[in-house]
Amino acid sequence: MLNPWRLRLLSRLDTLGTVRAVAHDANLSASSVSQQLAVLEAETRTQLLERTGRRVRLTPAGLMLARRARAILDHMDTVEAELRSLGEEPVGLVRLGAFQSAIHTMAVPAVTRLAGAYPHLEVELLELEPHASIPALRGGDADVIITTTDFVQLPLGPDLDIVPLATDPIVLVTSAEGRGPAVLSAYADSPWALDVPQSYMADLTLRLCRESGFEPRVVCRFSNYLMTLQHVEAGLSIALLPLLAVDRRYRVVTRELATPVTRTIAAVVRRGTPLRAGVNVVLDALRQPPDLPALTEWAGSRRPPS
């Protein structure tokens, strides 16, 4: 009989790549992880691992079992939740990953509504940008994510189900007044604030600037949009941000782009396994239109009220 704990270790090895990383993730020693994987090989009577120098990697059989293990573990979670609820209210843990600007505008309102309606449902909220949330969902570290479908470097494949939630314009954020849509080539000599490398907004900013014929002069990189807004407010840089990320407390100007760019915001779950009742109610809560004045009141260049 397959042991679910050992299956989870094998699945994490496929996701994380090394026994040491799996051990750190599971709060075990590397030797303990290796021993448990060896037991799993004995249980399955199949070679699941092979050595390559000082490291181990999954054999084709190990890779197949690791990826099937995710579906097996999802089914077990579903059965456990159904046994606990017996058809009544959703119970148990649902891990919801969301990018920074969606946390306070979409995730927290949804979780707040759920807390009042389902006191035995626990929603763990994780801050995960798209470059981290998609692997987390595929690896089983998140049950639902709020992400964008427009991250070309990390596309959503047929293994995932997508629930569109909203669209959000990308805007130029600056401390200087301006009229009309912003033409990016006019800012070729400006200092730019970017997100961390390989993130969605960093890649998008670089692509849009290069398509406009210049390489942006990057003077700072922040993973926190509030720090970016503070830097822009001080007149030290300009930035491209999703409008949803522009906190109205900061005295900055937002200008639509001459060539409009939007991102599609979606909730995403793994395909192929029955959704637990808890996951379903989280999706239902996210589908309820949030109060997003930034998206409904957008009409060109705006400055937040003092």
Side-chain angles (χ1 to χ4, degrees), residues 253-276:
V253 173
T254 53
R255 296 180 61 193
E256 63 183 339
L257 301 182
T259 302
V261 178
T262 61
R263 63 173 179 173
T264 299
I265 301 172
V268 184
V269 296
R270 291 185 296 276
R271 174 176 293 180
T273 57
L275 294 182
R276 307 196 310 271

Side-chain angles (χ1 to χ4, degrees), residues 207-285:
R207 178 169 64 82
L208 293 177
C209 289
R210 288 166 181 169
E211 288 175 356
S212 297
F214 69 95
E215 189 74 17
R217 179 165 61 88
V218 180
V219 296
C220 60
R221 287 184 179 269
F222 299 119
S223 62
N224 186 303
Y225 288 149
L226 299 184
M227 295 176 67
T228 300
L229 290 168
Q230 186 178 26
H231 202 263
V232 172
E233 182 184 49
L236 300 174
S237 63
I238 63 173
L240 289 180
L241 290 179
L243 188 59
L244 201 61
V246 182
D247 192 309
R248 295 171 65 84
R249 293 173 296 179
Y250 290 86
R251 298 286 297 173
V252 295
V253 173
T254 53
R255 296 180 61 193
E256 63 183 339
L257 301 182
T259 302
V261 178
T262 61
R263 63 173 179 173
T264 299
I265 301 172
V268 184
V269 296
R270 291 185 296 276
R271 174 176 293 180
T273 57
L275 294 182
R276 307 196 310 271
V279 172
N280 274 322
V281 297
V282 169
L283 287 174
D284 288 342

Side-chain angles (χ1 to χ4, degrees), residues 99 106 147-150 164-170 242-244 261-266 290 292 294-296 298:
F99 53 79
M106 306 179 79
T147 188
T148 177
T149 62
D150 307 301
L165 300 177
T167 57
D168 187 18
I170 304 300
L243 188 59
L244 201 61
V261 178
T262 61
R263 63 173 179 173
T264 299
I265 301 172
L292 300 177
L295 300 186
T296 58
W298 172 250

Side-chain angles (χ1 to χ4, degrees), residues 77-223:
D77 289 342
T78 300
V79 172
E80 182 180 357
E82 289 175 351
L83 286 173
R84 291 177 62 186
S85 64
L86 293 177
E88 298 175 358
E89 64 178 287
V91 298
L93 174 66
V94 176
R95 295 158 298 178
L96 171 60
F99 53 79
Q100 189 182 146
S101 58
I103 287 180
H104 69 283
T105 54
M106 306 179 79
V108 169
V111 172
T112 301
R113 290 193 296 270
L114 291 170
Y118 305 106
H120 300 295
L121 176 68
E122 179 184 355
V123 181
E124 180 182 346
L125 189 54
L126 311 169
E127 182 185 342
L128 295 171
E129 294 299 315
H131 65 280
S133 66
I134 297 171
L137 179 65
R138 286 189 166 122
D141 292 329
D143 302 301
V144 185
I145 60 172
I146 303 173
T147 188
T148 177
T149 62
D150 307 301
F151 194 8
V152 295
Q153 282 80 0
L154 200 58
L156 302 175
D159 58 324
L160 303 175
D161 280 326
I162 301 169
V163 180
L165 300 177
T167 57
D168 187 18
I170 304 300
V171 296
L172 180 73
V173 186
T174 176
S175 62
E177 293 286 357
R179 292 187 177 183
V183 178
L184 284 186
S185 58
Y187 297 89
D189 296 326
S190 299
W192 285 79
L194 264 63
D195 205 330
V196 295
Q198 299 183 333
S199 63
Y200 167 71
M201 278 311 304
D203 287 353
L204 178 61
T205 299
L206 288 173
R207 178 169 64 82
L208 293 177
C209 289
R210 288 166 181 169
E211 288 175 356
S212 297
F214 69 95
E215 189 74 17
R217 179 165 61 88
V218 180
V219 296
C220 60
R221 287 184 179 269
F222 299 119
S223 62

Side-chain angles (χ1 to χ4, degrees), residues 9-90:
L9 292 177
L10 187 72
S11 175
R12 299 305 291 144
L13 180 59
D14 180 34
T15 301
L16 299 176
T18 67
V19 169
R20 186 179 298 276
V22 174
H24 183 269
D25 181 67
N27 198 26
L28 296 169
S29 67
S31 60
S32 295
V33 172
S34 296
Q35 289 170 4
Q36 292 303 317
L37 293 176
V39 172
L40 183 60
E41 284 188 310
E43 291 174 338
T44 59
R45 300 178 183 178
T46 305
Q47 183 182 357
L48 303 175
L49 307 173
E50 59 186 3
R51 287 203 165 273
T52 56
R54 300 181 61 183
R55 302 179 64 177
V56 296
R57 67 180 181 186
L58 295 173
T59 64
L63 188 61
M64 181 276 292
L65 181 59
R67 295 181 178 176
R68 292 287 182 89
R70 293 171 190 158
I72 293 170
L73 294 168
D74 282 342
H75 276 293
M76 293 182 68
D77 289 342
T78 300
V79 172
E80 182 180 357
E82 289 175 351
L83 286 173
R84 291 177 62 186
S85 64
L86 293 177
E88 298 175 358
E89 64 178 287

